[in-house]
């Protein structure tokens, strides 16, 4: 929401406003610190003042109340890390996000803020603007708390009554429900903002009984906790000291901060109420592996239990049913597998709980017969952040029959199971992606960032955590072998996709193709790939990995050039065995490229390498290096690769188009069957 430009009630031009703000902050931070009072809770506060309605102020809102509650209060020194300020609690007052200085402080010290909490501190963030601060950038990756612009006039007390941040609240009871009895200024709602969705936190106050629109949440991180609220109980005074709320509401605000001091003390002593994450919003459904006779469907319900998948032909006919249990040991995820379906048929699927209530309904189409001429479009991409993007909508409008993720989808950069699970959940909740994969199958492999660490190979310690999360959050027909790796393949009409795992086995044993060199794929995956390629009758075969197939350049060791003997042996085997229709696809680079690897001595056909990256909004032009086999490249954001496999045409062909989210086609290559060794 838009706020007038003012500070301490003064309307100022933008430049002078910033100067005054920074000057005041310097005064606050430069003031000599008195010796810490024995036994007192020490609180650092950052507050913002604007001129809305006669200069409604938070100048001394939190500060005044905290001091009256018995805390020792200092102003947050934005020139120093929170770890250097000798405080027990940090409070960010309402709408500090309006100040660039505060946003910059968060960006500079995000990890230190997390460390402050983990060491036993309490971080409190009051109401902020959803347009500037939808996601709090200090929040650890395990959590999701997204702000929404929703004025709220009714707030339920849903947390434990004994929790200090619930017990303070004046209560109004209606038909057995407990509501917050707090009335701000006449024209103000109880809350200007709200949260949705939230993950990993406990809801203490919510607009609705289902906890889908929280107003106050708490989370535990390490030894400490954090509290986030959309209430503006710290904004109760005008600059002249007069109240902008009723006396009763002012008393409630004082009670809030008194409770906050008690809560901060409990957190510091390790005696705060344990955080029990509240019911989380369901995630999905997501279509996974689909072929001409089977479908895999994924879903994460709000609560554990038994859930049914019912599938029926859209035109009517037999209803297929299968039940699976949602278990906490698998993070409540459910993966149904259903076989015996009819090829090239439209189906409707419904998910129901144990009481028979419908939770979700969508549709899908089974793949065409493998040997019948048909046309299939695949949308491929890599490197995606947990943020909504028009690129997913563009894939749908381009007519994609499947979406193929090539890794760094999403970025996780941790081997902690809870972190990996949280990032996968948030990724699949991305609105445009979530809408797409309800009815378009999602196929995947991983790269280094979703494997666990930038540049990591199979020697990474703790890699079992990300693998478990991956198998819980992707509905594949197989995940490698014997609890190792995630490789798989999918046949859809005239195209078969071989989703290779270039991380799990890399560097863990000698290469099956060159025993004196380290492997990339590992002995078992190598043998599986050769068998699968030899058995495949698909006119077009896509070999997909997260890495690029050529030399990335620089000091990088996570490309196929780092396993050159194995890569070249694979290329030679494809040509010697007469395996037709192969193309190479990769990601990772944050630039898109097309390369053509010529056949040595003219034996066999040239292998086309198609690199597509990124789906997100950042590019790295420096990685778009020259290469003797490169025919085209572009460092463009929000790009996906559309592979259009058409065997219905008089001349069967595979057309590759690099398409930007706005619909612009950056490059196109048409490869006829005979260009790929076929007839």
């Amino acid at each position: 929401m838009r706020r007038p430009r003012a500070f301490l009630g003064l309307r100022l031009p933008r430049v002078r406003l910033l100067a005054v703000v920074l000057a005041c902050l310097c005064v606050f931070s430069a003031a000599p610190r008195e010796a810490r009072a024995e036994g007192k809770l020490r609180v650092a506060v950052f507050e913002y003042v604007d001129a809305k309605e006669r200069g409604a102020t938070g100048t001394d809102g939190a500060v005044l109340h905290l001091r009256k509650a018995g805390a020792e209060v200092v102003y947050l020194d934005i020139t120093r890390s929170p770890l250097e300020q000798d405080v027990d609690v940090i409070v960010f007052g309402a709408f500090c996000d309006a100040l660039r200085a505060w946003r910059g402080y968060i960006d500079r010290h995000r990890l230190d803020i997390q460390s402050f909490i983990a060491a036993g501190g309490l971080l409190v963030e009051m109401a902020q603007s959803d347009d500037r601060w939808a996601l709090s950038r200090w929040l650890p990756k395990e959590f999701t708390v997204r702000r929404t612009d929703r004025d709220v006039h009714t707030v339920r007390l849903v947390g434990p009554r004994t929790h200090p941040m619930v017990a303070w609240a004046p209560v109004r009871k209606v038909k057995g429900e407990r509501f917050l009895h707090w009335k701000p200024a006449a024209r103000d709602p109880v809350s200007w903002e709200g949260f949705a969705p939230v993950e990993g936190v406990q809801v203490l106050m919510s607009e609705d009984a289902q906890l889908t629109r929280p107003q106050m949440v708490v989370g535990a991180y390490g030894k400490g906790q954090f509290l986030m609220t959309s209430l503006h109980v710290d904004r109760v005074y005008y600059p002249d000291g007069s109240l902008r709320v009723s006396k009763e509401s002012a008393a409630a605000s004082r009670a809030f901060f008194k409770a906050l001091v008690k809560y901060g003390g409990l957190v510091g002593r390790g005696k705060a109420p344990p955080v029990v994450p509240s019911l989380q919003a369901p995630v999905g459904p997501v279509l996974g592996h689909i072929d001409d006779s089977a479908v895999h469907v994924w879903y994460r319900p709000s609560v554990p239990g038994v859930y049914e998948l019912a599938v029926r032909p859209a035109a009517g006919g037999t209803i297929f049913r299968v039940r699976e249990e949602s278990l906490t040991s698998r993070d409540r995820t459910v993966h149904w597998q259903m076989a015996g379906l009819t090829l090239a048929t439209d189906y409707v699927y419904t998910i129901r709980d144990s009481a028979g209530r419908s939770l979700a309904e969508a549709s899908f189409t089974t793949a065409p017969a493998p040997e019948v001429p048909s046309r299939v479009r695949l949308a491929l991409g890599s490197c995606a952040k947990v943020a909504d993007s028009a690129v997913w909508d563009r894939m749908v409008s381009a007519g994609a029959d499947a979406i193929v993720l090539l890794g760094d989808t999403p970025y996780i950069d941790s081997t902690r199971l809870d972190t990996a699970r949280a990032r996968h959940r948030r990724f699949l909740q991305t609105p445009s992606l979530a809408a797409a994969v309800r009815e378009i199958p999602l196929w995947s492999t991983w790269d280094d960032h979703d494997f666990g660490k930038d540049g990591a190979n199979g020697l990474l310690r703790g890699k079992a955590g990300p693998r478990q999360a991956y198998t819980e959050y992707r509905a594949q027909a197989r995940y490698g072998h014997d609890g190792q790796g995630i490789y798989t393949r999918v046949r859809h009409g005239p195209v078969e996709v071989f989703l290779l795992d270039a991380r799990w086995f890399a560097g863990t044993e000698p290469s099956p193709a060159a025993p004196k060199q380290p492997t990339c794929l590992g002995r078992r995956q190598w043998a599986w790939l050769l068998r699968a390629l030899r058995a495949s009758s698909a006119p077009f075969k896509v070999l997909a990995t997260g890495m690029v197939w050529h030399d990335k350049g620089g000091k990088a060791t996570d490309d196929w050039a780092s396993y050159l003997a194995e890569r070249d042996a694979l290329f030679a085997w494809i040509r010697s065995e007469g395996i037709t229709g192969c193309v190479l696809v990769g990601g990772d680079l944050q630039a898109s490229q097309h390369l053509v690897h010529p056949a040595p001595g003219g034996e066999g056909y040239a292998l086309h390498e198609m690199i597509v990256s990124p789906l997100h909004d950042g590019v790295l032009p420096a990685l778009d290096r020259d290469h003797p086999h490169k025919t085209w490249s572009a460092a463009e954001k929000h790009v996906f690769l559309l592979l259009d496999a058409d065997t219905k045409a008089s001349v069967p062909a595979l057309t590759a188009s690099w398409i930007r989210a706005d619909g612009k086609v950056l490059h196109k290559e048409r490869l006829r069957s005979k260009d790929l060794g076929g007839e």
Side-chain angles (χ1 to χ4, degrees), residues 230-509:
S230 57
L231 303 178
H232 46 283
V233 292
D234 57 333
R235 304 185 70 80
V236 296
Y237 297 105
Y238 290 116
D240 60 7
S242 61
L243 285 172
R244 65 183 301 273
V245 298
S246 68
K247 290 182 179 180
E248 292 77 11
S249 294
S253 292
R254 290 193 293 272
F256 171 89
F257 284 100
K258 185 176 181 180
L260 187 60
V261 170
K262 177 182 178 181
Y263 177 43
L266 292 173
V267 171
R269 296 192 299 273
K271 296 183 178 181
V275 173
V276 180
S278 302
L279 301 181
Q280 298 167 343
V283 186
V286 176
L287 290 175
H289 178 103
I290 290 183
D291 56 34
D292 58 344
S293 63
V295 64
H296 293 238
V297 180
W298 179 95
Y299 186 65
R300 186 178 187 269
S302 295
V303 294
V306 176
Y307 293 86
E308 179 187 82
L309 174 71
V311 176
R312 69 181 189 276
T318 303
I319 300 177
F320 299 83
R321 303 180 190 274
V322 62
R323 291 180 175 86
E324 293 289 348
E325 187 172 5
S326 167
L327 301 171
T328 55
S329 61
R330 289 189 56 81
D331 202 30
R332 300 207 304 267
T333 59
V334 183
H335 177 180
W336 295 279
Q337 306 176 42
M338 185 171 290
L341 304 181
T342 304
L343 57 83
T345 300
D346 296 331
Y347 286 91
V348 175
Y349 70 94
T350 306
I351 295 171
R352 293 188 175 91
D353 63 14
S354 57
R357 291 183 293 256
S358 176
L359 304 177
E361 185 169 283
S363 62
F364 66 88
T365 303
T366 48
E371 309 307 328
V372 174
S374 58
R375 184 180 183 185
V376 168
R377 299 179 182 90
L378 307 179
L380 303 94
S382 69
C383 307
K385 297 177 182 176
V386 181
D388 207 9
S389 171
V391 73
W392 308 113
D393 297 324
R394 183 60 60 182
M395 290 179 179
V396 175
S397 65
D401 295 296
I403 294 174
V404 184
L405 301 181
L406 302 170
D408 297 342
T409 45
Y411 290 83
I412 296 174
D413 293 307
S414 173
T415 57
R416 288 183 53 171
L417 177 59
D418 56 351
T419 298
R421 284 169 165 172
R423 296 296 285 179
H424 278 297
R425 279 198 302 274
R426 290 177 61 184
F427 182 61
L428 292 178
Q429 286 175 314
T430 304
S432 296
L433 173 62
V437 297
R438 289 171 65 94
E439 302 195 338
I440 299 175
L442 178 70
W443 310 332
S444 308
T445 185
W446 60 16
D447 201 34
D448 50 348
H449 291 284
D450 39 356
F451 175 63
K453 184 180 179 182
D454 184 25
N457 65 8
L459 301 177
L460 178 68
R461 291 183 179 180
K463 63 183 182 180
R467 183 186 184 275
Q468 180 176 336
Y470 182 96
T471 61
E472 291 169 349
Y473 279 81
R474 295 291 185 271
Q476 298 183 179
R478 67 175 291 163
Y479 308 89
H481 65 269
D482 300 336
Q484 299 186 64
I486 60 163
Y487 59 88
T488 188
R489 62 189 175 110
V490 187
R491 174 72 185 267
H492 211 80
V495 63
E496 187 161 10
V497 182
F498 299 82
L499 290 154
L500 306 181
D501 182 347
R503 296 291 173 176
W504 183 273
F505 307 98
T508 62
E509 60 182 81

Side-chain angles (χ1 to χ4, degrees), residues 100-113 133 135-138:
R100 185 178 301 173
W102 180 76
R103 300 196 303 270
Y105 180 79
I106 301 299
D107 289 339
R108 291 193 304 275
H109 296 291
R110 176 178 61 85
L111 296 179
D112 285 352
I113 292 172
W133 206 247
L135 287 172
S136 295
R137 295 198 284 269
W138 56 264

